[in-house]
Structures are given as C-alpha cells and as structure tokens.
Amino acid sequence: MDGLSGIFASVTGSEGALRAATIRALQREGAQIIAPGGAADVAVFLAPSPAELELPPGEAGEYVKQLLDGVARAVASLSPDESVSRSLVIVAPSIGQTFRSGPVPLSAAIGALKGFSRAVVVKHGDRGVRSNIVLPGILLADAELTESLPTIPLQRAVGELTHPGEVAEAVAFLASSDAGYISGAELDIDGGLSGDRHSAMSVLWAAGVMTPDRNPIQELMTRGRR
Amino acid sequence: MGAASAERFIADGAKVLLTDVNVTPGRELAASLGANARFFELNVADGEAWTSAVAYAEKVFGPVTVLMNNAGIHGGGFIEEYDEADWSRSLAVNLHGPLLGMKAVVPVMRSAGGGSIVNISSLQGREADVGLISYVAAKFGLRGLGKSAAVELGRYGIRVNTVFPGLIITGLTRGQSEHYMGRIPFRRPESPTRSGAASDVAALAAFLASDRASNITGAEITIDGGKSVRFPTTIQDYSAELALFGPREEEL
C-alpha cells in the first residue's frame, strides 16, 4: 500500500507504545514524519492520559483544557495550502485508563474531543480538511501498566484488549486517500465493548453462561410464571 | 457499489462471489474481473438461495470469511401514503436480506475460525428523511441488527461492522443524480471536498474486512465527506436545490 506516499505527517500528544506504533504504520504507508509545528498534510493527535500529564486523579477541567490545546495546535500545524487534501486524526484517551484515574476526566475529554473533531469539519471542511476520531476501548498498553484489572472478566474471541498496533492501523487508514470521503466519523476500536454490557443477556452470553441451547433469562421468566 | 467493492477486494487479493437478482450484468461483471470472480444468482430475501450461494462459494473458492451485505433498494412513501407491498419489499431486501446472509455464512465462518461481515446501511439509517419511510426504517433496523450481531458473534471471532454512506453515485442513486444531484455541484464547487464514489465505500469495506481492522467490531462508520456533521446549515445552503424544485431564495 502507498496510501500516504509523499505525505508529511506529524504525531503529537501521548508518548510511548501508541506513538511508536502509529509512526511505524504511517511510515509503512509511505508517510514522512515531521516535527510538530511543521506544515503537515496529516496531523495525528494522541490524547495522553491524565497520569501522563501528571494531573491529579479526578482533575477534569485542566485535563480537558490541555487536550483541547494540544489538538488545536495539531490543527494549526496543518499545511495552509488549500489546494491539497489535509487530514486530522484524533485518538481519544483509552477508557481503560478509567481503571487508574477515575472516569470523570476521561468521559469529559472524550466528549470534548468528539465535539472538537466535528467543529473542525464544520469550520475547515470546505477548505479540504478532513477530521476523524478514533475511540479505543481498553488499550493493551494501559492494561500492562495497570496492576489489576478486576473488571475485565469476559475475554472473547474478538479481543476486548486493543493493541496499540490496531489503533495505529485505523489511524493510517483514516489519514490515507482510501478514506478521502470519510470525515466527521467516530470509529470505535474496542472489540465490541461499546456495543455491549447494557443487558444481563449480553453479559451472560459473553461469559458463556448463555448459549443458543440454553437461555437462563428465558428459564427465569418461565419459572416466574409458574 | 457492489461492482467497485468486488474490484477492490480482488485487487487486495480476495476471491469474490458476486450475487445479484440481475443475472446478465452480474455475469458480465464477474467475467470482466477475471478468474478470482464468479457470479451466482441470488435474491437476498431467499434464505435457501443464500445457503446455495455460500455452498457454491465454498466449492469454487473455499470457505467464506468475508460477507459484504450491499444489496439495497429504495423504499418510498409518506406515512399517509403507506403502501404495504412497498414496505414489505424494502424490508425484505434491505433488512431481512442481510440477516439471511449472516445466518448463511456464520456456520462457515465459525468453522474457519472467524470472519468479517460488513453491512451497508445508509445515512438514512442514522438520520431521518422525508418520503422514504420504508427505506429509513429498514436501514435503521440494519444498524441494530449489526450491533447485536457483533455482540453475539464476537465469541466466534466474527466481526460485524456497519457502514453509513451519504450520497454516493451508484445504480441506486443514478435517477437522483441525473435529475437532481448531478446538476448541483456539491454546495461549494471550489471546495476540494468532493462527492462520494462507490470506490470510497469499497475502500472502507476492504479495510474493515481485512486483518488491519482485527479489533474493530460493532463499529458504525459514517462515510459522507462530513456533510452530516455540517448539517443543519442555513436555508441559503439549499438554494441550488430550491432553485430546481421550489421557491426562489428571495421568496423565502
């Protein structure tokens, strides 16, 4: 694939495994990585965790402000040349980080970044700027750092733990000309996590308690009627 | 959209069984795509025909590991002009068809250790539209079907994702595009943002089907150039449409 050949890309925000994987994927597709602030065709902003920014747990306001400042800098770093197609890809913080830093800052940040991505489409879309956001579920990089993950009991064939490389592939795809008509999209990468957990049935199904031959909910209801 | 996708999947190394109710164009297309394409006549609303199609694919190419549910027809209507035949036809093709397709491929995918299903809904499967009740209802239904299928089939390594295309110039929209959209350069002709091509949806489907998307399931991806995010806009933005069909801008 040469979906990004001749493209200058910057990757800002979070350091670490996700950044390394993202740079690898972009380079493999032919992109040249440039320093932050240069005129980029593709600007990738990887939202750092509150811990990475050394913010106290529960600090939502400062966290959201720092992320929005970071993504605004990424937008400002895009090439001013309106005759070429340019692309912003935001990677929202992994919800896996809730296990160590509390959900309020992360929920607020995910909402803010989604809104920011849409605003970029509204404001800059006519000048050829695409903007999309990738929403990882539980990044393996976080899981490894976390001492215990007591609330991830239900491992399924499609893994609930997302590898940094899987996020990187989606970033490279969204940045490429293959995704030239995709803008304003929100892409979950979470092994189905976000579509689940809303019902007792899906929890029982995921745990293997419920099967096509055995429906405990049905059994309970039948018993109740007797 | 199906033709562009078949072409893209073959370019990416897949073997493709094309299906359609229209036999002649389907055969011609398959022939033009070479040895990695075959055609099989299929009415997607016919469950037995699906079983035959999947068996045929397995015989000529091997087990099916990717299903793209792309067949679609427009269903018209206003609430007050509800037509039962039109409603049934739309739901049969746009909603029941994808369900029967998934039912037919799941056993094969389970035996193969996994697979990827890409369902093509529509922007009208996420947002309201007027005068298209049968289509909108079916496409919204497909969204829920896909999401539930992702949860149910995840344990077998089968991924299910839903794509929501905005206006794409295809056979289905050709009538509109000739009489309507083709005469309207998309909003701002100077813009590098363009209207959608079938190959755009094909590229997204190919990505979702590939191992690059191995952790993506239950996702819902809009592909519309950002247009749905930018709505609602001002009435002036619709001046071109209104000039074709309705009152002039100064009359509003």
Side-chain angles (χ1 to χ4, degrees):
Chain A
M1 301 291 278
D2 56 353
L4 291 170
S5 60
I7 292 293
F8 294 101
S10 70
V11 182
T12 55
S14 182
E15 304 290 331
L18 181 56
R19 178 183 160 81
T22 301
I23 288 174
R24 268 200 307 278
L26 292 169
Q27 285 176 332
R28 192 200 64 221
E29 298 292 308
Q32 191 172 329
I33 307 299
I34 59 171
D41 304 302
V42 168
V44 180
F45 178 73
L46 311 172
S49 67
E52 200 173 345
L53 296 173
E54 297 181 351
L55 291 170
E59 174 56 62
E62 180 58 25
Y63 181 51
V64 171
K65 180 185 179 302
Q66 289 198 25
L67 294 191
L68 292 183
D69 286 348
V71 77
R73 278 194 298 274
V75 173
S77 79
L78 285 169
S79 160
D81 183 355
E82 293 188 11
S83 68
V84 300
S85 186
R86 287 149 297 148
S87 173
L88 172 72
V89 184
I90 300 169
V91 178
S94 154
I95 59 166
Q97 293 163 353
T98 55
F99 292 110
R100 53 174 194 273
S101 51
V104 173
L106 288 154
S107 299
I110 289 167
L113 291 172
K114 281 184 178 181
F116 199 104
S117 177
R118 288 166 164 247
V120 170
V121 176
V122 173
K123 194 169 174 204
H124 302 293
D126 285 336
R127 294 197 286 277
V129 176
R130 296 187 294 112
S131 178
N132 294 291
I133 184 164
V134 174
L135 302 153
I138 302 167
L139 266 179
L140 193 60
D142 300 321
E144 285 168 345
L145 290 170
T146 307
E147 285 174 14
S148 61
L149 288 171
T151 50
I152 311 180
L154 308 172
Q155 191 65 36
R156 273 170 287 176
V158 174
E160 286 183 349
L161 299 180
T162 306
H163 294 262
E166 291 168 324
V167 175
E169 289 302 327
V171 170
F173 170 72
L174 288 171
S176 75
S177 55
D178 264 353
Y181 195 50
I182 302 180
S183 188
E186 297 170 356
L187 177 56
D188 289 308
I189 307 188
D190 58 8
L193 195 66
S194 62
D196 202 340
R197 298 302 149 70
H198 303 306
S199 77
M201 266 93 83
S202 49
V203 171
L204 293 173
W205 176 257
V209 176
M210 181 174 163
T211 67
D213 307 321
R214 174 154 190 252
N215 184 341
I217 301 287
Q218 197 70 42
E219 287 167 20
L220 266 177
M221 287 163 69
T222 315
R223 211 177 305 158
R225 273 204 295 274
R226 265 186 215 133
Chain B
M1 210 131 77
S5 299
E7 203 174 310
R8 176 62 192 250
F9 275 102
I10 287 170
D12 285 359
K15 298 179 197 308
V16 177
L17 184 70
L18 297 101
T19 66
D20 203 327
V21 282
N22 298 318
V23 175
T24 309
R27 277 198 210 295
E28 285 171 5
L29 177 63
S32 74
L33 291 171
N36 288 329
R38 294 289 176 89
F39 176 80
F40 193 88
E41 182 181 355
L42 173 70
N43 171 4
V44 293
D46 179 347
E48 283 178 26
W50 264 111
T51 309
S52 307
V54 172
Y56 178 75
E58 184 156 11
K59 196 180 80 185
V60 293
F61 291 138
V64 175
T65 52
V66 172
L67 169 66
M68 180 177 177
N69 271 317
N70 179 64
I73 55 167
H74 262 304
F78 293 85
I79 306 283
E80 287 186 292
E81 292 167 11
Y82 162 76
D83 178 86
E84 190 169 349
D86 177 76
W87 173 265
S88 302
R89 207 169 76 95
S90 173
L91 263 69
V93 174
N94 294 324
L95 185 57
H96 196 204
L99 170 64
L100 292 174
M102 291 198 283
K103 184 179 186 306
V105 297
V106 162
V108 180
M109 289 183 177
R110 284 184 65 172
S111 306
S116 176
I117 296 169
V118 181
N119 291 328
I120 306 297
S121 179
S122 165
L123 211 52
Q124 287 140 333
R126 295 194 91 119
E127 296 185 357
D129 210 338
V130 175
L132 284 172
I133 51 165
S134 314
Y135 187 74
V136 170
K139 291 298 192 181
F140 264 78
L142 184 53
R143 179 184 185 186
L145 180 62
K147 202 85 172 168
S148 296
V151 173
E152 182 183 324
L153 303 175
R155 64 151 73 159
Y156 309 129
I158 300 170
R159 299 184 292 105
V160 185
N161 293 293
T162 309
V163 171
F164 300 84
L167 185 77
I168 308 281
I169 307 303
T170 68
L172 190 66
T173 57
R174 194 156 294 135
Q176 294 170 29
S177 58
E178 281 167 4
H179 293 104
Y180 174 46
M181 298 314 290
R183 293 158 65 181
I184 302 169
F186 241 118
R187 307 271 180 257
R188 294 168 182 81
E190 75 279 12
S191 165
T193 49
R194 53 192 174 75
S195 57
S199 57
D200 290 310
V201 179
L204 175 57
F207 170 74
L208 290 171
S210 77
D211 288 343
R212 292 179 73 192
S214 56
N215 198 241
I216 302 179
T217 187
E220 301 178 335
I221 303 131
T222 301
I223 171 164
D224 69 345
K227 290 178 185 73
S228 62
V229 166
R230 292 196 284 169
F231 290 178
T233 42
T234 65
I235 198 78
Q236 278 73 24
D237 286 333
Y238 296 95
S239 56
E241 287 90 334
L242 291 168
L244 277 180
F245 295 109
R248 292 174 188 284
E249 198 176 322
E250 57 268 23
E251 293 177 73
L252 291 165

